[in-house]
Amino acid sequence: MMVCRTLDFVKKFSRLRLFTSSNAIAMLSLSAVPTARSLHATSLRCCHLAIHSNGDCLEINAVGLQQPLQLHYAWLRGHCYCDKCYSKATYQKIFDLHCLSLFEKPVDIHLEDQNLSIKWTDGHQSLFHIDWLIKNSYSGYKQTSKKTESYWNSNKIKELNPEHVTFEKFMNTECGVKLLLSNVLTYGIGMVEHVPATLEATQQVVERICPPQENLFGKMWQFATQPVHSDTAYSSVYLGAHTDGTYFEDCPG
């Protein structure tokens, strides 16, 4: 059996471990400033939207939200994507975030159709589409992101029968990679079938997703029953549930 430790990749994935068994199946387991003049004590409403100031953040109510969006003013200022703050050619921010105050507040806020317009103390103007705020803010993402996790046991997984992806499809198509990662997101595990039982092929599968993580064994290593090692992992003794490599800075699993 060949084992590889990999780097963190995608937000929702933690560490991945990949195994290649004799039947050639690879498995991934896995200072004070003015408050907004336009807000005062009442909410502004437009197109089923309501906004009001709440301390250091702005609250937005919209149809379909379970609870109001809470957007800190410092976050809003730092996420302005106008031409003065963001380069659409390089996809990089050109505004110095170190110039921001954690207590940043606007001097004027109003709604223009489905856009939120904010004027800051330095005179800068920011414009945000409400849909963008819902999809990209920390508060909105929690409410709109779809949870795909499916919990299972040995009987349930047989019923679910997640689709496997072949080595050829995984290595040569984007849909193969998407299928595997989708299974990892949903079930916590994904299968790549018909992987040649070699260290090189295993590394190819790993590197299709992310670079292997270097450790004291190198990037890739393999082990088998070798009594010379004082370690049950190198024996034929059954290993129950356990955590490997706890002496590593970043242990697997």
Side-chain angles (χ1 to χ4, degrees):
M1 181 180 285
M2 291 176 275
V3 182
C4 163
R5 298 180 60 227
T6 63
L7 288 172
D8 290 339
F9 66 109
V10 190
K11 297 178 183 176
K12 302 197 71 175
F13 301 147
S14 52
R15 306 284 178 195
L16 290 180
R17 300 184 64 195
L18 185 142
F19 305 89
T20 320
S21 60
S22 57
N23 58 354
I25 294 180
M27 178 175 67
L28 285 172
S29 65
L30 307 177
S31 71
V33 293
T35 55
R37 294 194 301 266
S38 298
L39 299 180
H40 303 295
T42 60
S43 298
L44 299 178
R45 299 182 180 276
C46 178
C47 300
H48 307 293
L49 295 173
I51 63 174
H52 70 275
S53 182
N54 183 10
D56 62 350
C57 66
L58 179 71
E59 288 192 352
I60 300 178
N61 264 310
V63 174
L65 291 178
Q66 300 173 1
Q67 56 188 16
L69 297 183
Q70 290 189 334
L71 310 172
H72 288 84
Y73 291 124
W75 184 88
L76 285 166
R77 182 63 184 89
H79 283 77
C80 178
Y81 283 93
C82 74
D83 293 339
K84 294 180 180 179
C85 297
Y86 181 77
S87 171
K88 295 180 176 61
T90 63
Y91 304 101
Q92 294 175 317
K93 291 183 179 181
I94 52 180
F95 171 73
D96 189 358
L97 295 177
H98 293 92
C99 297
L100 280 179
S101 166
L102 292 177
F103 308 100
E104 191 79 23
K105 287 188 178 181
V107 295
D108 183 74
I109 300 177
H110 62 276
L111 287 166
E112 299 175 356
D113 295 328
Q114 292 294 307
N115 294 306
L116 178 70
S117 177
I118 301 178
K119 184 177 181 180
W120 304 96
T121 54
D122 60 359
H124 186 77
Q125 196 87 22
S126 298
L127 194 66
F128 303 94
H129 196 280
I130 297 299
D131 283 346
W132 186 91
L133 290 174
I134 293 175
K135 294 176 182 178
N136 293 278
S137 66
Y138 42 85
S139 180
Y141 180 80
K142 288 181 180 179
Q143 300 183 54
T144 59
S145 61
K146 296 181 180 180
K147 295 183 178 180
T148 60
E149 293 88 348
S150 178
Y151 299 96
W152 49 270
N153 55 28
S154 59
N155 293 324
K156 184 66 175 178
I157 198 65
K158 292 177 183 178
E159 297 176 9
L160 295 171
N161 192 25
E163 183 181 353
H164 297 184
V165 58
T166 65
F167 175 71
E168 182 178 358
K169 182 177 181 179
F170 179 73
M171 295 302 301
N172 298 306
T173 68
E174 292 302 315
C175 63
V177 176
K178 182 178 180 180
L179 174 59
L180 180 77
L181 297 184
S182 177
N183 283 337
V184 173
L185 276 173
T186 303
Y187 308 109
I189 189 173
M191 299 283 191
V192 180
E193 295 182 315
H194 310 308
V195 180
T198 65
L199 191 66
E200 293 74 19
T202 303
Q203 185 168 352
Q204 287 179 350
V205 173
V206 172
E207 291 179 339
R208 185 81 167 104
I209 303 171
C210 55
Q213 181 174 331
E214 189 82 41
N215 58 71
L216 61 88
F217 296 111
K219 286 186 177 181
M220 303 285 296
W221 74 94
Q222 55 186 326
F223 61 90
T225 302
Q226 297 176 346
V228 67
H229 295 286
S230 299
D231 190 334
T232 52
Y234 291 90
S235 70
S236 57
V237 176
Y238 169 75
L239 295 178
H242 64 287
T243 301
D244 279 328
T246 54
Y247 44 85
F248 287 147
E249 180 179 352
D250 298 304
C251 60

